[in-house]
Amino acid sequence: MTPRRTFLKGIAATLALPSLPSLAQTVAKAGPPTRMAFIYIPNGVNLDLWRPTGSGKDYAISKTLEPLAELREHFSVLRGLDHDKAFANGDGAGDHARANATFLTGCQARKTAGADIQLGESVDQIAARQIGHLTRLPSLELSTDPARSSGNCDSGYSCAYQFNLSWINDTTPAPAERDPRLVFEKMFGSGNEKEDARRRAYRKSILDFVMADAKRMQSRLGSTDRGKMDEYLTAVRDVEQRIARAEKFRTEVPEDKRPNGVPETYGEHMRMMFDLMHLAFQTDTTRVSTFLLAHDGSNRTFAEVDVNSAHHELSHHRGNPQTLESIGKIDHFYVEQLAYFLKKMRDTPDGEGSLLDHSMIVYGGGIADGNRHNHDDLPVLLAGKGNGALTPGRLIEAPKGTPMTNLYLSLLDRMGAKAQRIGDSTGVFDKV
């Protein structure tokens, strides 16, 4: 039998560390890597409250985007980008399934509720296939919804389309994880599920077994790097402890008996997943991530903002002012969570700048107005400076009929990943 301390130290040895110039001069000279993330919002938005007025750098921020006001120089609002393959194009009903399926692929989903699903490779997986070997995880897929890969979810479309944002190829989705504990173990655990379970049974933190090594390392670090190491270890410990508290206070137990670190409130769940994405980028555990805040068609309620009606049902607003007001509250709530994440990225030093400076983060959905189920002129934000490759702080208008996938081609190019085409792309969108 493996001695208790031996296997725990083996797990701890896998803990990723942030780049520290004191220990890695060659990495410092090469500069920080570029990270890329895609964050999905469901069911469309209240467009009147979402859309800013004005143009260029002089635009006036909208009511929905107010939580991002202090981050104005760090993001752009994009107008005029379309997902044509999310329209029926002869396939009838099923706009929510198609919105999800098309968002990162630009492909028309085969209408089937059976095993013969067909779509296309998503932009994140194109990047992961080319640069994923540089990090512990090629990509990181997050969600707040339980995974579903079969069954009929929307008018004859497989649930695989509606509950997966990321696709490895035209028949294989990359399932997202909703349990923060399992994401944490994937990022920082040993890779051996039994050993990680034993460590939890001993109630030992991963950090308990790296602190001695970290202290010995202090003498080799400059003052800046010592502060960076302290901030990093504190952040990991904070997330780990919050997951442990969520597990302690939950009453339901999953069928497979795995620990359940899903928080009780939706807002805390999203923020914990954002914290994990932040840590993954900070430690260079991965450079590519997706986050499905909720699947399109979600009927979640939002007690945190006093909206107790189901989101999908509200999205069919028929112009009702009170319903539209509720949709606006939901949109604002989602943007608040985004602001939390972007501020954390902005405030994390990374080489000659911040994590946000060295990232490209797309936030948006595959439906514009939930009442019309339209997939053109979608609500989209692009945050970060992409290591100097992006110029944020603007309202950017795309020419009419521009595929969203043209933006993705542009981001891949700035990421150092190459693609001739993504789904229905027609060329690079270079206005960003």
Side-chain angles (χ1 to χ4, degrees), residues 208-372:
D208 290 339
F209 291 88
V210 296
M211 289 309 296
D213 291 335
K215 289 178 181 178
R216 284 194 293 271
M217 191 184 294
Q218 293 286 341
S219 61
R220 301 169 56 194
L221 301 180
S223 59
T224 299
D225 283 346
R226 283 198 298 271
K228 188 173 183 179
M229 175 69 81
D230 288 341
E231 290 176 3
Y232 162 67
L233 294 175
T234 299
V236 175
R237 176 81 78 182
D238 175 67
V239 172
E240 191 175 25
Q241 289 177 340
R242 284 163 57 203
I243 292 171
R245 286 196 297 270
E247 290 172 343
K248 179 179 178 180
F249 291 107
R250 288 194 71 83
T251 56
E252 65 266 29
V253 179
E255 291 182 4
D256 59 6
K257 307 300 182 184
R258 293 185 302 183
N260 187 349
V262 177
E264 291 287 351
T265 69
Y266 186 35
E268 174 61 14
H269 191 182
M270 284 190 284
R271 293 193 177 203
M272 192 174 287
M273 300 306 265
F274 274 131
D275 287 344
L276 288 164
M277 185 188 289
H278 167 266
L279 279 178
F281 287 157
Q282 182 184 14
T283 60
D284 203 25
T285 298
T286 192
R287 297 174 188 176
V288 182
S289 186
T290 59
F291 188 4
L292 183 67
L293 297 184
H295 69 280
D296 226 296
S298 168
N299 253 331
R300 185 185 294 275
T301 58
F302 294 78
E304 289 156 294
V305 290
D306 297 320
V307 177
N308 297 310
S309 298
H311 190 189
H312 176 217
E313 293 175 6
L314 287 170
S315 71
H316 294 270
H317 53 78
R318 297 180 178 83
N320 183 291
Q322 290 182 322
T323 305
L324 284 165
E325 181 182 359
S326 293
I327 295 171
K329 288 182 179 180
I330 293 171
D331 300 338
H332 191 274
F333 177 68
Y334 274 132
V335 172
E336 284 179 331
Q337 314 318 310
L338 175 67
Y340 166 84
F341 173 60
L342 295 184
K343 288 175 185 177
K344 193 160 192 171
M345 295 282 286
R346 178 200 62 187
D347 296 340
T348 302
D350 186 54
E352 298 293 327
S354 70
L355 273 180
L356 187 55
D357 290 335
H358 304 141
S359 298
M360 304 182 295
I361 300 166
V362 175
Y363 174 91
I367 292 177
D369 175 18
N371 196 56
R372 294 192 296 127

Side-chain angles (χ1 to χ4, degrees), residues 15 53 164 187 220 223 302:
L15 184 67
T53 57
N164 293 287
M187 290 169 54
R220 301 169 56 194
S223 59
F302 294 78

Side-chain angles (χ1 to χ4, degrees), residues 89-203:
N89 295 317
D91 285 341
D95 286 276
H96 292 289
R98 289 192 299 264
N100 253 129
T102 304
F103 192 68
L104 296 185
T105 67
C107 295
Q108 192 90 27
R110 173 186 285 167
K111 190 163 191 177
T112 178
D116 57 335
I117 56 175
Q118 186 171 359
L119 189 59
E121 186 178 20
S122 55
V123 56
D124 62 305
Q125 291 303 303
I126 294 174
R129 177 164 46 80
Q130 297 187 44
I131 67 170
H133 65 284
L134 300 174
T135 53
R136 182 180 184 187
L137 302 178
S139 60
L140 181 65
E141 293 75 42
L142 307 174
S143 180
T144 61
D145 289 331
R148 297 187 67 178
S149 59
S150 62
N152 182 351
C153 276
D154 184 14
S155 306
Y157 283 97
S158 170
C159 297
Y161 296 127
Q162 210 160 339
F163 283 79
N164 293 287
L165 200 58
S166 178
W167 286 74
I168 298 170
N169 55 45
D170 59 355
T171 60
T172 310
E177 180 56 65
R178 73 184 289 261
D179 186 340
R181 164 62 69 187
L182 299 182
V183 176
F184 187 86
E185 298 293 351
K186 184 176 183 179
M187 290 169 54
F188 299 119
S190 68
N192 185 308
E193 190 171 334
K194 289 184 179 180
E195 286 193 353
D196 290 337
R198 288 176 64 193
R199 174 179 53 76
R200 291 192 298 271
Y202 288 134
R203 297 183 179 179

